């Protein structure tokens, strides 16, 4: 299957600083990538759709100025959590779709555990 | 956002037992995907289903795409300790965006 690599796997930052998370498709190109947030013992909640060469599409209730998304190439999307606060602590996961038309599959990165202190 | 209704939310079984979980929706889906997530990791795809009525196996795992396109089930036969984790169903409704179930947390007693 296709490989999606996410970096870093964990990060601890001070309140008020910004953190960048990278999501790379290693062996395929992805014009679209998705960013999720997952709280303990809960399902994945879609935050935004990252579109190569254009603006990201944010889900309702997600602050676009807080969670900056850049999809500058066909293999890389980044999520920057700006002015992080303890309530931003969570598990962030990216995914990229891959496959033939009508047989799409979503491949996920390893996730990033963000802890804001 | 919309979610699929996945049940049960948790299961506690003995090693060797069979497991069954399912997902339902009020909307039609074009694709059903089943994932397993280990603690601190991203979800890993187990089985993908693309046609109504399709029954697909992957080792001890079997999943089916409901004939109404509004439901799917996943069975695990003869469970082993490494089956422990959270299982998610997910569906595509047309676009590339996925909708997820709430997850089934599987615990196995040796």
């Amino acid at each position: 299957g296709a490989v999606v690599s996410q970096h870093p796997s964990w990060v601890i930052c001070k309140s008020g600083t910004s953190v960048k998370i990278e999501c790379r498709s290693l062996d395929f190109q992805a014009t679209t990538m998705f960013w999720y947030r997952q709280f303990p013992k809960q399902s994945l909640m879609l935050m935004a759709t990252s579109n190569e060469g254009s603006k990201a599409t944010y889900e309702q209730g997600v602050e676009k100025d807080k969670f900056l998304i850049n999809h500058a190439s066909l293999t890389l999307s980044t999520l920057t959590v700006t002015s992080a606060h303890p309530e931003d602590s969570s598990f962030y996961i990216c995914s990229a779709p891959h496959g033939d038309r009508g047989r799409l599959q979503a491949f996920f990165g390893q996730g990033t555990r963000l802890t804001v202190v | 956002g919309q979610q699929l209704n996945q049940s049960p939310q948790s299961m506690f079984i003995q090693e060797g037992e069979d497991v069954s979980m399912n997902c339902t929706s009020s909307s039609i889906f074009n694709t059903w995907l089943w994932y397993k997530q280990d603690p601190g990791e991203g979800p890993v795809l187990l089985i993908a289903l693309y046609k109504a009525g399709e029954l697909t196996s992957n080792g001890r795992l079997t999943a089916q795409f409901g004939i109404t396109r509004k439901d799917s089930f996943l069975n695990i036969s003869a469970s082993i300790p490494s089956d422990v984790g959270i299982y998610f169903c997910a569906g595509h409704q047309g676009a590339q965006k996925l909708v997820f179930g709430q997850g089934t947390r599987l615990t196995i007693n040796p």
Side-chain angles (χ1 to χ4, degrees):
Chain A
V3 178
V4 175
S5 179
Q6 192 172 336
H7 178 82
S9 56
W10 61 271
V11 57
I12 301 173
C13 71
K14 289 185 177 181
S15 190
T17 62
S18 296
V19 173
K20 181 186 284 188
I21 303 170
E22 293 186 347
C23 181
R24 294 181 185 272
S25 56
L26 296 187
D27 50 358
F28 66 101
Q29 294 181 333
T31 56
T32 303
M33 292 185 179
F34 300 94
W35 287 96
Y36 298 84
R37 185 172 181 175
Q38 186 178 32
F39 291 106
K41 298 187 178 182
Q42 293 191 21
S43 187
L44 287 75
M45 296 303 297
L46 181 65
M47 299 174 64
T49 303
S50 173
N51 303 299
E52 187 267 336
S54 64
K55 291 183 180 179
T57 307
Y58 290 82
E59 295 299 301
Q60 191 173 6
V62 178
E63 300 175 60
K64 61 181 180 182
D65 296 329
K66 173 79 170 172
F67 299 100
L68 298 180
I69 290 173
N70 185 276
H71 195 149
S73 79
L74 288 171
T75 58
L76 174 64
S77 174
T78 61
L79 169 69
T80 301
V81 183
T82 63
S83 186
H85 290 284
E87 56 266 30
D88 297 324
S89 298
S90 190
F91 194 57
Y92 293 87
I93 312 173
C94 68
S95 79
H98 181 61
D100 296 330
R101 186 184 178 90
R103 298 185 71 86
L104 275 180
Q105 298 177 6
F107 294 91
F108 287 84
Q110 305 93 321
T112 298
R113 170 76 57 196
L114 171 62
T115 303
V116 185
V117 298
Chain B
Q2 180 186 1
Q3 278 198 324
L4 300 173
N5 296 315
Q6 184 171 349
S7 65
Q9 292 188 12
S10 60
M11 300 184 74
F12 298 86
I13 63 169
Q14 295 294 123
E15 183 177 350
E17 288 185 11
D18 296 342
V19 172
S20 184
M21 60 192 79
N22 69 83
C23 274
T24 61
S25 171
S26 57
S27 305
I28 288 174
F29 282 82
N30 298 322
T31 305
W32 284 92
L33 305 171
W34 284 93
Y35 290 88
K36 177 175 184 264
Q37 186 179 26
D38 291 326
E41 301 285 336
V44 174
L45 182 66
L46 299 174
I47 292 180
L49 303 161
Y50 300 104
K51 289 183 186 177
E54 180 180 356
L55 182 71
T56 298
S57 293
N58 178 7
R60 293 178 296 105
L61 278 61
T62 301
Q64 184 159 31
F65 192 148
I67 200 73
T68 64
R69 296 168 67 191
K70 294 182 179 180
D71 63 304
S72 176
F73 71 75
L74 173 70
N75 289 340
I76 305 173
S77 62
S79 59
I80 59 178
S82 61
D83 291 334
V84 165
I86 304 176
Y87 292 80
F88 290 101
C89 62
H92 281 124
Q93 285 187 304
Q96 297 175 346
K97 193 183 293 189
L98 273 179
V99 176
F100 280 89
Q102 301 95 327
T104 297
R105 183 179 296 271
L106 179 62
T107 303
I108 298 176
N109 299 316

